[in-house]
PDB file of all heavy atoms in Angstrom:
ATOM      1  N   LEU V1031       1.967 -21.650   3.911  1.00  0.00           N
ATOM      2  CA  LEU V1031       1.047 -20.597   4.332  1.00  0.00           C
ATOM      3  C   LEU V1031       0.545 -19.819   3.126  1.00  0.00           C
ATOM      4  O   LEU V1031      -0.636 -19.478   3.047  1.00  0.00           O
ATOM      5  CB  LEU V1031       1.702 -19.657   5.343  1.00  0.00           C
ATOM      6  CG  LEU V1031       0.817 -18.536   5.873  1.00  0.00           C
ATOM      7  CD1 LEU V1031      -0.417 -19.111   6.591  1.00  0.00           C
ATOM      8  CD2 LEU V1031       1.584 -17.623   6.801  1.00  0.00           C
ATOM      9  N   HIS V1032       1.423 -19.553   2.180  1.00  0.00           N
ATOM     10  CA  HIS V1032       1.001 -18.865   0.960  1.00  0.00           C
ATOM     11  C   HIS V1032      -0.093 -19.670   0.258  1.00  0.00           C
ATOM     12  O   HIS V1032      -1.087 -19.105  -0.197  1.00  0.00           O
ATOM     13  CB  HIS V1032       2.184 -18.673   0.004  1.00  0.00           C
ATOM     14  CG  HIS V1032       3.204 -17.714   0.500  1.00  0.00           C
ATOM     15  ND1 HIS V1032       4.390 -17.499  -0.148  1.00  0.00           N
ATOM     16  CD2 HIS V1032       3.244 -16.901   1.581  1.00  0.00           C
ATOM     17  CE1 HIS V1032       5.112 -16.606   0.505  1.00  0.00           C
ATOM     18  NE2 HIS V1032       4.434 -16.225   1.560  1.00  0.00           N
ATOM     19  N   GLN V1033       0.111 -20.977   0.166  1.00  0.00           N
ATOM     20  CA  GLN V1033      -0.874 -21.826  -0.488  1.00  0.00           C
ATOM     21  C   GLN V1033      -2.200 -21.819   0.270  1.00  0.00           C
ATOM     22  O   GLN V1033      -3.270 -21.722  -0.335  1.00  0.00           O
ATOM     23  CB  GLN V1033      -0.355 -23.257  -0.600  1.00  0.00           C
ATOM     24  CG  GLN V1033       0.782 -23.399  -1.589  1.00  0.00           C
ATOM     25  CD  GLN V1033       1.360 -24.801  -1.616  1.00  0.00           C
ATOM     26  OE1 GLN V1033       1.010 -25.643  -0.801  1.00  0.00           O
ATOM     27  NE2 GLN V1033       2.250 -25.052  -2.563  1.00  0.00           N
ATOM     28  N   ALA V1034      -2.122 -21.929   1.594  1.00  0.00           N
ATOM     29  CA  ALA V1034      -3.350 -21.957   2.397  1.00  0.00           C
ATOM     30  C   ALA V1034      -4.130 -20.654   2.286  1.00  0.00           C
ATOM     31  O   ALA V1034      -5.360 -20.657   2.303  1.00  0.00           O
ATOM     32  CB  ALA V1034      -3.019 -22.253   3.857  1.00  0.00           C
ATOM     33  N   LEU V1035      -3.414 -19.534   2.173  1.00  0.00           N
ATOM     34  CA  LEU V1035      -4.077 -18.231   2.077  1.00  0.00           C
ATOM     35  C   LEU V1035      -4.435 -17.849   0.645  1.00  0.00           C
ATOM     36  O   LEU V1035      -5.234 -16.949   0.424  1.00  0.00           O
ATOM     37  CB  LEU V1035      -3.171 -17.144   2.669  1.00  0.00           C
ATOM     38  CG  LEU V1035      -2.989 -17.149   4.173  1.00  0.00           C
ATOM     39  CD1 LEU V1035      -1.906 -16.163   4.586  1.00  0.00           C
ATOM     40  CD2 LEU V1035      -4.295 -16.830   4.872  1.00  0.00           C
ATOM     41  N   GLY V1036      -3.800 -18.497  -0.331  1.00  0.00           N
ATOM     42  CA  GLY V1036      -4.037 -18.157  -1.726  1.00  0.00           C
ATOM     43  C   GLY V1036      -3.271 -16.934  -2.172  1.00  0.00           C
ATOM     44  O   GLY V1036      -3.705 -16.221  -3.076  1.00  0.00           O
ATOM     45  N   VAL V1037      -2.116 -16.673  -1.548  1.00  0.00           N
ATOM     46  CA  VAL V1037      -1.272 -15.534  -1.929  1.00  0.00           C
ATOM     47  C   VAL V1037       0.015 -16.065  -2.536  1.00  0.00           C
ATOM     48  O   VAL V1037       0.328 -17.250  -2.444  1.00  0.00           O
ATOM     49  CB  VAL V1037      -0.957 -14.628  -0.716  1.00  0.00           C
ATOM     50  CG1 VAL V1037      -2.232 -14.040  -0.131  1.00  0.00           C
ATOM     51  CG2 VAL V1037      -0.168 -15.360   0.342  1.00  0.00           C
ATOM     52  N   THR V1038       0.782 -15.151  -3.136  1.00  0.00           N
ATOM     53  CA  THR V1038       2.026 -15.574  -3.772  1.00  0.00           C
ATOM     54  C   THR V1038       3.274 -15.037  -3.079  1.00  0.00           C
ATOM     55  O   THR V1038       4.378 -15.445  -3.420  1.00  0.00           O
ATOM     56  CB  THR V1038       2.059 -15.121  -5.244  1.00  0.00           C
ATOM     57  OG1 THR V1038       1.899 -13.702  -5.297  1.00  0.00           O
ATOM     58  CG2 THR V1038       0.963 -15.801  -6.050  1.00  0.00           C
ATOM     59  N   SER V1039       3.097 -14.132  -2.124  1.00  0.00           N
ATOM     60  CA  SER V1039       4.286 -13.559  -1.484  1.00  0.00           C
ATOM     61  C   SER V1039       3.989 -13.104  -0.063  1.00  0.00           C
ATOM     62  O   SER V1039       2.829 -12.902   0.311  1.00  0.00           O
ATOM     63  CB  SER V1039       4.795 -12.363  -2.296  1.00  0.00           C
ATOM     64  OG  SER V1039       3.883 -11.284  -2.200  1.00  0.00           O
ATOM     65  N   ASP V1040       5.065 -12.937   0.683  1.00  0.00           N
ATOM     66  CA  ASP V1040       4.945 -12.402   2.035  1.00  0.00           C
ATOM     67  C   ASP V1040       4.429 -10.963   2.002  1.00  0.00           C
ATOM     68  O   ASP V1040       3.747 -10.528   2.927  1.00  0.00           O
ATOM     69  CB  ASP V1040       6.307 -12.422   2.747  1.00  0.00           C
ATOM     70  CG  ASP V1040       6.738 -13.825   3.135  1.00  0.00           C
ATOM     71  OD1 ASP V1040       5.867 -14.701   3.264  1.00  0.00           O
ATOM     72  OD2 ASP V1040       7.949 -14.034   3.316  1.00  0.00           O
ATOM     73  N   GLU V1041       4.772 -10.243   0.945  1.00  0.00           N
ATOM     74  CA  GLU V1041       4.333  -8.850   0.837  1.00  0.00           C
ATOM     75  C   GLU V1041       2.816  -8.735   0.801  1.00  0.00           C
ATOM     76  O   GLU V1041       2.247  -7.817   1.384  1.00  0.00           O
ATOM     77  CB  GLU V1041       4.945  -8.181  -0.407  1.00  0.00           C
ATOM     78  CG  GLU V1041       6.429  -7.903  -0.299  1.00  0.00           C
ATOM     79  CD  GLU V1041       7.294  -9.153  -0.541  1.00  0.00           C
ATOM     80  OE1 GLU V1041       6.822 -10.096  -1.226  1.00  0.00           O
ATOM     81  OE2 GLU V1041       8.414  -9.189  -0.024  1.00  0.00           O
ATOM     82  N   GLU V1042       2.167  -9.672   0.122  1.00  0.00           N
ATOM     83  CA  GLU V1042       0.699  -9.653   0.078  1.00  0.00           C
ATOM     84  C   GLU V1042       0.122  -9.832   1.480  1.00  0.00           C
ATOM     85  O   GLU V1042      -0.838  -9.161   1.854  1.00  0.00           O
ATOM     86  CB  GLU V1042       0.166 -10.758  -0.837  1.00  0.00           C
ATOM     87  CG  GLU V1042       0.326 -10.483  -2.305  1.00  0.00           C
ATOM     88  CD  GLU V1042      -0.285 -11.592  -3.145  1.00  0.00           C
ATOM     89  OE1 GLU V1042      -1.529 -11.704  -3.150  1.00  0.00           O
ATOM     90  OE2 GLU V1042       0.484 -12.348  -3.758  1.00  0.00           O
ATOM     91  N   ILE V1043       0.712 -10.747   2.234  1.00  0.00           N
ATOM     92  CA  ILE V1043       0.251 -10.984   3.609  1.00  0.00           C
ATOM     93  C   ILE V1043       0.512  -9.736   4.455  1.00  0.00           C
ATOM     94  O   ILE V1043      -0.368  -9.271   5.176  1.00  0.00           O
ATOM     95  CB  ILE V1043       0.951 -12.209   4.223  1.00  0.00           C
ATOM     96  CG1 ILE V1043       0.625 -13.468   3.421  1.00  0.00           C
ATOM     97  CG2 ILE V1043       0.543 -12.387   5.679  1.00  0.00           C
ATOM     98  CD1 ILE V1043       1.449 -14.683   3.803  1.00  0.00           C
ATOM     99  N   TYR V1044       1.717  -9.208   4.346  1.00  0.00           N
ATOM    100  CA  TYR V1044       2.088  -8.023   5.120  1.00  0.00           C
ATOM    101  C   TYR V1044       1.150  -6.861   4.817  1.00  0.00           C
ATOM    102  O   TYR V1044       0.647  -6.207   5.729  1.00  0.00           O
ATOM    103  CB  TYR V1044       3.542  -7.625   4.811  1.00  0.00           C
ATOM    104  CG  TYR V1044       3.956  -6.342   5.469  1.00  0.00           C
ATOM    105  CD1 TYR V1044       4.358  -6.327   6.802  1.00  0.00           C
ATOM    106  CD2 TYR V1044       3.919  -5.141   4.777  1.00  0.00           C
ATOM    107  CE1 TYR V1044       4.724  -5.150   7.425  1.00  0.00           C
ATOM    108  CE2 TYR V1044       4.281  -3.952   5.395  1.00  0.00           C
ATOM    109  CZ  TYR V1044       4.691  -3.958   6.712  1.00  0.00           C
ATOM    110  OH  TYR V1044       5.037  -2.791   7.325  1.00  0.00           O
ATOM    111  N   ASP V1045       0.917  -6.612   3.526  1.00  0.00           N
ATOM    112  CA  ASP V1045       0.048  -5.494   3.142  1.00  0.00           C
ATOM    113  C   ASP V1045      -1.366  -5.669   3.686  1.00  0.00           C
ATOM    114  O   ASP V1045      -1.977  -4.721   4.172  1.00  0.00           O
ATOM    115  CB  ASP V1045       0.004  -5.345   1.610  1.00  0.00           C
ATOM    116  CG  ASP V1045       1.312  -4.813   1.036  1.00  0.00           C
ATOM    117  OD1 ASP V1045       2.117  -4.236   1.799  1.00  0.00           O
ATOM    118  OD2 ASP V1045       1.523  -4.994  -0.181  1.00  0.00           O
ATOM    119  N   ALA V1046      -1.890  -6.888   3.594  1.00  0.00           N
ATOM    120  CA  ALA V1046      -3.245  -7.148   4.091  1.00  0.00           C
ATOM    121  C   ALA V1046      -3.317  -6.929   5.598  1.00  0.00           C
ATOM    122  O   ALA V1046      -4.248  -6.286   6.103  1.00  0.00           O
ATOM    123  CB  ALA V1046      -3.671  -8.566   3.738  1.00  0.00           C
ATOM    124  N   LEU V1047      -2.333  -7.456   6.328  1.00  0.00           N
ATOM    125  CA  LEU V1047      -2.325  -7.274   7.783  1.00  0.00           C
ATOM    126  C   LEU V1047      -2.136  -5.799   8.146  1.00  0.00           C
ATOM    127  O   LEU V1047      -2.767  -5.292   9.073  1.00  0.00           O
ATOM    128  CB  LEU V1047      -1.227  -8.125   8.420  1.00  0.00           C
ATOM    129  CG  LEU V1047      -1.415  -9.643   8.304  1.00  0.00           C
ATOM    130  CD1 LEU V1047      -0.190 -10.370   8.851  1.00  0.00           C
ATOM    131  CD2 LEU V1047      -2.664 -10.098   9.023  1.00  0.00           C
ATOM    132  N   TYR V1048      -1.283  -5.114   7.405  1.00  0.00           N
ATOM    133  CA  TYR V1048      -1.045  -3.698   7.652  1.00  0.00           C
ATOM    134  C   TYR V1048      -2.324  -2.892   7.435  1.00  0.00           C
ATOM    135  O   TYR V1048      -2.590  -1.921   8.135  1.00  0.00           O
ATOM    136  CB  TYR V1048       0.071  -3.186   6.729  1.00  0.00           C
ATOM    137  CG  TYR V1048       0.435  -1.740   6.971  1.00  0.00           C
ATOM    138  CD1 TYR V1048       1.232  -1.380   8.046  1.00  0.00           C
ATOM    139  CD2 TYR V1048      -0.032  -0.736   6.124  1.00  0.00           C
ATOM    140  CE1 TYR V1048       1.571  -0.061   8.282  1.00  0.00           C
ATOM    141  CE2 TYR V1048       0.299   0.586   6.355  1.00  0.00           C
ATOM    142  CZ  TYR V1048       1.104   0.920   7.434  1.00  0.00           C
ATOM    143  OH  TYR V1048       1.423   2.238   7.661  1.00  0.00           O
ATOM    144  N   ASN V1049      -3.126  -3.300   6.477  1.00  0.00           N
ATOM    145  CA  ASN V1049      -4.387  -2.605   6.176  1.00  0.00           C
ATOM    146  C   ASN V1049      -5.538  -3.061   7.060  1.00  0.00           C
ATOM    147  O   ASN V1049      -6.692  -2.719   6.814  1.00  0.00           O
ATOM    148  CB  ASN V1049      -4.745  -2.778   4.699  1.00  0.00           C
ATOM    149  CG  ASN V1049      -3.800  -2.006   3.807  1.00  0.00           C
ATOM    150  OD1 ASN V1049      -3.388  -0.900   4.137  1.00  0.00           O
ATOM    151  ND2 ASN V1049      -3.440  -2.597   2.684  1.00  0.00           N
ATOM    152  N   GLY V1050      -5.245  -3.846   8.096  1.00  0.00           N
ATOM    153  CA  GLY V1050      -6.254  -4.197   9.080  1.00  0.00           C
ATOM    154  C   GLY V1050      -6.985  -5.495   8.834  1.00  0.00           C
ATOM    155  O   GLY V1050      -7.900  -5.842   9.589  1.00  0.00           O
ATOM    156  N   GLN V1051      -6.630  -6.227   7.799  1.00  0.00           N
ATOM    157  CA  GLN V1051      -7.282  -7.506   7.553  1.00  0.00           C
ATOM    158  C   GLN V1051      -6.690  -8.570   8.452  1.00  0.00           C
ATOM    159  O   GLN V1051      -5.521  -8.518   8.827  1.00  0.00           O
ATOM    160  CB  GLN V1051      -7.091  -7.940   6.093  1.00  0.00           C
ATOM    161  CG  GLN V1051      -7.917  -7.180   5.092  1.00  0.00           C
ATOM    162  CD  GLN V1051      -7.751  -7.778   3.707  1.00  0.00           C
ATOM    163  OE1 GLN V1051      -6.638  -7.909   3.221  1.00  0.00           O
ATOM    164  NE2 GLN V1051      -8.862  -8.148   3.090  1.00  0.00           N
ATOM    165  N   SER V1052      -7.485  -9.561   8.778  1.00  0.00           N
ATOM    166  CA  SER V1052      -6.982 -10.721   9.500  1.00  0.00           C
ATOM    167  C   SER V1052      -6.584 -11.778   8.476  1.00  0.00           C
ATOM    168  O   SER V1052      -6.948 -11.686   7.298  1.00  0.00           O
ATOM    169  CB  SER V1052      -8.066 -11.280  10.421  1.00  0.00           C
ATOM    170  OG  SER V1052      -9.125 -11.818   9.652  1.00  0.00           O
ATOM    171  N   LEU V1053      -5.869 -12.802   8.932  1.00  0.00           N
ATOM    172  CA  LEU V1053      -5.534 -13.899   8.027  1.00  0.00           C
ATOM    173  C   LEU V1053      -6.799 -14.597   7.542  1.00  0.00           C
ATOM    174  O   LEU V1053      -6.868 -15.057   6.400  1.00  0.00           O
ATOM    175  CB  LEU V1053      -4.598 -14.895   8.710  1.00  0.00           C
ATOM    176  CG  LEU V1053      -3.187 -14.394   9.001  1.00  0.00           C
ATOM    177  CD1 LEU V1053      -2.375 -15.471   9.713  1.00  0.00           C
ATOM    178  CD2 LEU V1053      -2.485 -13.949   7.735  1.00  0.00           C
ATOM    179  N   ALA V1054      -7.815 -14.653   8.387  1.00  0.00           N
ATOM    180  CA  ALA V1054      -9.093 -15.258   7.999  1.00  0.00           C
ATOM    181  C   ALA V1054      -9.725 -14.464   6.852  1.00  0.00           C
ATOM    182  O   ALA V1054     -10.260 -15.054   5.903  1.00  0.00           O
ATOM    183  CB  ALA V1054     -10.037 -15.314   9.192  1.00  0.00           C
ATOM    184  N   GLU V1055      -9.645 -13.146   6.924  1.00  0.00           N
ATOM    185  CA  GLU V1055     -10.208 -12.306   5.860  1.00  0.00           C
ATOM    186  C   GLU V1055      -9.410 -12.440   4.567  1.00  0.00           C
ATOM    187  O   GLU V1055      -9.980 -12.439   3.476  1.00  0.00           O
ATOM    188  CB  GLU V1055     -10.256 -10.849   6.307  1.00  0.00           C
ATOM    189  CG  GLU V1055     -11.257 -10.598   7.415  1.00  0.00           C
ATOM    190  CD  GLU V1055     -11.126  -9.232   8.059  1.00  0.00           C
ATOM    191  OE1 GLU V1055      -9.994  -8.688   8.121  1.00  0.00           O
ATOM    192  OE2 GLU V1055     -12.164  -8.715   8.516  1.00  0.00           O
ATOM    193  N   VAL V1056      -8.085 -12.579   4.690  1.00  0.00           N
ATOM    194  CA  VAL V1056      -7.251 -12.786   3.504  1.00  0.00           C
ATOM    195  C   VAL V1056      -7.653 -14.098   2.836  1.00  0.00           C
ATOM    196  O   VAL V1056      -7.838 -14.150   1.614  1.00  0.00           O
ATOM    197  CB  VAL V1056      -5.750 -12.790   3.873  1.00  0.00           C
ATOM    198  CG1 VAL V1056      -4.902 -13.172   2.676  1.00  0.00           C
ATOM    199  CG2 VAL V1056      -5.321 -11.434   4.418  1.00  0.00           C
ATOM    200  N   ALA V1057      -7.769 -15.157   3.623  1.00  0.00           N
ATOM    201  CA  ALA V1057      -8.153 -16.458   3.069  1.00  0.00           C
ATOM    202  C   ALA V1057      -9.539 -16.393   2.429  1.00  0.00           C
ATOM    203  O   ALA V1057      -9.736 -16.885   1.309  1.00  0.00           O
ATOM    204  CB  ALA V1057      -8.124 -17.515   4.163  1.00  0.00           C
ATOM    205  N   ALA V1058     -10.494 -15.776   3.104  1.00  0.00           N
ATOM    206  CA  ALA V1058     -11.861 -15.695   2.584  1.00  0.00           C
ATOM    207  C   ALA V1058     -11.919 -14.896   1.286  1.00  0.00           C
ATOM    208  O   ALA V1058     -12.665 -15.255   0.363  1.00  0.00           O
ATOM    209  CB  ALA V1058     -12.781 -15.074   3.627  1.00  0.00           C
TER     210      ALA V1058
END
């Protein structure tokens, strides 16, 4: 999932989701 989204940690995903971004927006 990190590779698919282009992130390096769960914290990056958590922070993005917490700030209202979707996984699609993180990937884009």
Side-chain angles (χ1 to χ4, degrees):
L1031 181 60
H1032 292 174
Q1033 290 176 352
L1035 289 171
V1037 298
T1038 57
S1039 69
D1040 287 337
E1041 288 79 24
E1042 285 183 69
I1043 298 170
Y1044 175 81
D1045 289 342
L1047 294 174
Y1048 183 78
N1049 290 322
Q1051 286 186 305
S1052 67
L1053 291 179
E1055 292 168 329
V1056 173

